[in-house]
């Protein structure tokens, strides 16, 4: 699973470059919602695939241009 996360991010990179900020924010809200299962459960020895997505720096790098543009627009508007 850990090896497939960067591949999935690269495949979806054209979409993430354009609309990465809202998609990433919505995804993080979904993962960290109140009734969500834990992404890292040390007691049971389980690691969710969401853990690898959240901790992968590639997602942040690809979403950075869209987030910077969203911040620029929010400051001016």
């Amino acid at each position: 699973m850990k090896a497939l996360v960067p591949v999935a991010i690269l495949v979806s990179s054209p979409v993430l470059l354009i609309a990465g900020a809202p998609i990433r924010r919505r995804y993080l809200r979904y993962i960290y919602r109140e009734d969500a299962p834990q992404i890292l459960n040390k007691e049971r020895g389980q690691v969710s695939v969401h853990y690898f997505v959240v901790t992968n720096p590639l997602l942040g790098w690809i979403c950075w241009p869209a987030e910077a543009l969203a911040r620029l627009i929010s400051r001016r508007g």
Side-chain angles (χ1 to χ4, degrees), residues 30-42:
Y30 171 75
I31 288 181
Y32 292 119
R33 69 188 191 278
E34 224 173 277
D35 59 343
Q38 293 180 347
I39 62 173
L40 185 61
N41 191 345
K42 291 183 181 180

Side-chain angles (χ1 to χ4, degrees), residues 6-33:
V7 173
I9 292 172
L10 288 175
V11 167
S12 63
S13 64
V15 173
L16 292 174
L17 281 171
I18 296 170
I23 292 172
R24 185 169 184 237
R25 270 187 258 127
R26 194 173 305 134
Y27 178 69
L28 291 175
R29 274 193 307 253
Y30 171 75
I31 288 181
Y32 292 119
R33 69 188 191 278

